[in-house]
Amino acid sequence: MQKISKIAVLTSGGDAPGMNPCIRAVVRTAIYNNLNVVGIKQGYKGLIENDMYNMDKRSVSNILNLGGTILKTARCLEFRTDEGMETAYKNLKDQNIDALVAIGGDGTFTGALRFSKKYTDIAVIGVPGTIDNDLYGSTYTLGFDTATNTVIEAIDKIRDTADAHDRVFFIEVMGRDSGAIALRAGISCGAEAILLPEKETAIKDLIADLKDGHLTSKSSSIVIVAEGDKHGGAYDIAKIVGKELANIDIKVTILGHLQRGGSPSSFDRVLGSRLGYAAVNALLKGESQKMVGLRANEILLTDLEEALTSHEFKLEEDLMEMAHILSI
Ligand code: ATP
């Protein structure tokens, strides 16, 4: 078993609330186990540009409550090239770093896996940090809970004004390939319809449901649209529907980047702490090319390869059906 003495941690891809509690857990668990820790700024970009600094236990004081990531994040094209990876490897070796904790989504894991297959003397553990909740091997990913709560808070406010004016609101939430936020927020806010990229939207049924709500004296209707819906964004769908519902006042709100920010929820603080702690303990046990994830309230390891290839998201048809029935 390769003995490790110095580890590096980075956050990469889209930022997600809960990354900071995770960084804190990685740093403090490492120090508790007499490991040195290096923080890499801006994900793989900092790895290639040698933008790293030594962290101590006070480097992560008072960050549990902060959204974003103190290490910053970036998308880095150069890391996709062999030359970029070689520079990254050289920078790690120059600092005697022998293990890496990579916090991010599937792109981050793809990079981490390619890198650790090429350079097997650097152990790599991935932590699922993405608001999309779309990684196999973890029922929940870091940031999903906070982002969903943020969406709920915004939609509750929109419901007030929609109700006051008897309006239909189309609200677009994040999720190019994943309807996870849309579905949870839809159930939580009693949305009249939830449109997801995983399921073809029957526009005719949507129009019929909205008409029915209007005829049965619903004072407002909320349609949640995940940004990856096949018919387009909230504006496109509102336009199509509006042609058939000329007597109903329709408005559109795009929630946008506010969904990424904010103080992590209790759930994400605990999850980030557990995953960061588990990532370092996995490295200490000699693990590599694995992802730490939450399953049935246990932190378990999944091969990065499997986490990426078994990536298919199962649409929770039962929840969709329930949401539909409960919103009549
Ligand atoms: P999110 O799910 O929030 O978007 P992500 O980790 O999937 O997060 P990406 O931008 O897809 O975000 O990936 C993050 C970074 O991972 C990329 O900017 C790139 O540096 C690296 N990466 C992605 N795919 C590869 C690949 N095939 N080879 C090497 N590196 C990659």
Side-chain angles (χ1 to χ4, degrees), residues 146-164:
T146 307
T148 306
N149 284 329
T150 303
V151 168
I152 291 169
E153 203 185 323
I155 295 179
D156 284 348
K157 288 179 178 155
I158 291 170
R159 177 71 86 173
D160 290 345
T161 172
D163 202 59

Side-chain angles (χ1 to χ4, degrees), residues 12-15 44 74-77 79-80 85 104-111 114 129-132 134 260:
S12 156
D15 58 312
Y44 297 130
R75 306 208 193 251
C76 173
L77 282 179
F79 194 68
R80 293 170 184 260
M85 283 211 178
D106 55 354
T108 301
F109 288 179
T110 306
R114 264 188 65 200
T130 166
I131 63 169
D132 290 339
D134 60 351
R260 285 198 180 276

Side-chain angles (χ1 to χ4, degrees), residues 74-289:
R75 306 208 193 251
C76 173
L77 282 179
E78 216 186 327
F79 194 68
R80 293 170 184 260
T81 65
D82 288 342
E83 297 74 29
M85 283 211 178
E86 198 180 329
T87 308
Y89 176 70
K90 196 176 158 297
N91 288 338
L92 287 172
K93 290 310 272 185
D94 283 351
Q95 302 245 12
N96 298 317
I97 293 167
D98 28 37
L100 176 68
V101 176
I103 308 168
D106 55 354
T108 301
F109 288 179
T110 306
L113 183 60
R114 264 188 65 200
F115 181 80
S116 64
K117 278 183 174 171
K118 244 168 127 62
Y119 304 107
T120 48
D121 54 336
I122 307 273
V124 175
I125 295 288
V127 176
T130 166
I131 63 169
D132 290 339
N133 206 34
D134 60 351
L135 285 168
Y136 178 83
S138 196
T139 314
Y140 294 105
T141 58
L142 262 188
F144 168 63
D145 182 68
T146 307
T148 306
N149 284 329
T150 303
V151 168
I152 291 169
E153 203 185 323
I155 295 179
D156 284 348
K157 288 179 178 155
I158 291 170
R159 177 71 86 173
D160 290 345
T161 172
D163 202 59
H165 287 274
D166 292 351
R167 280 176 173 153
V168 172
F169 264 85
F170 283 76
I171 303 173
E172 187 174 303
V173 303
M174 282 185 168
R176 223 179 298 282
D177 304 306
S178 160
I181 291 179
L183 181 55
R184 290 300 191 287
I187 292 169
S188 306
C189 298
E192 277 62 27
I194 306 167
L195 314 189
L196 314 170
E198 293 89 351
K199 192 177 165 86
E200 183 80 34
T201 301
I203 297 282
K204 262 191 187 157
D205 294 347
L206 172 62
I207 292 168
D209 286 346
L210 292 174
K211 269 188 187 159
D212 186 61
H214 192 64
L215 291 173
T216 56
S217 306
K218 257 191 192 278
S219 55
S220 63
S221 288
I222 299 283
V223 179
I224 301 189
V225 184
E227 62 189 340
D229 191 87
K230 312 266 180 311
H231 290 278
Y235 277 108
D236 303 309
I237 298 169
K239 211 165 154 191
I240 303 171
V241 171
K243 285 186 186 144
E244 303 287 327
L245 299 176
N247 57 336
I248 298 180
D249 193 6
I250 294 179
K251 296 280 177 211
V252 176
T253 300
I254 313 281
L255 291 183
H257 280 83
L258 75 84
Q259 293 165 84
R260 285 198 180 276
S263 185
S265 63
S266 154
F267 183 86
D268 279 327
R269 293 182 198 197
V270 175
L271 182 62
S273 302
R274 289 180 77 184
L275 293 174
Y277 176 75
V280 176
N281 282 318
L283 288 171
L284 286 166
K285 286 190 189 125
E287 298 285 1
S288 183
Q289 300 184 6

Side-chain angles (χ1 to χ4, degrees), residues 31-42:
I31 289 168
Y32 176 81
N33 287 287
N34 301 314
L35 302 176
N36 292 309
V37 202
V38 168
I40 299 169
K41 301 294 283 286
Q42 294 190 292

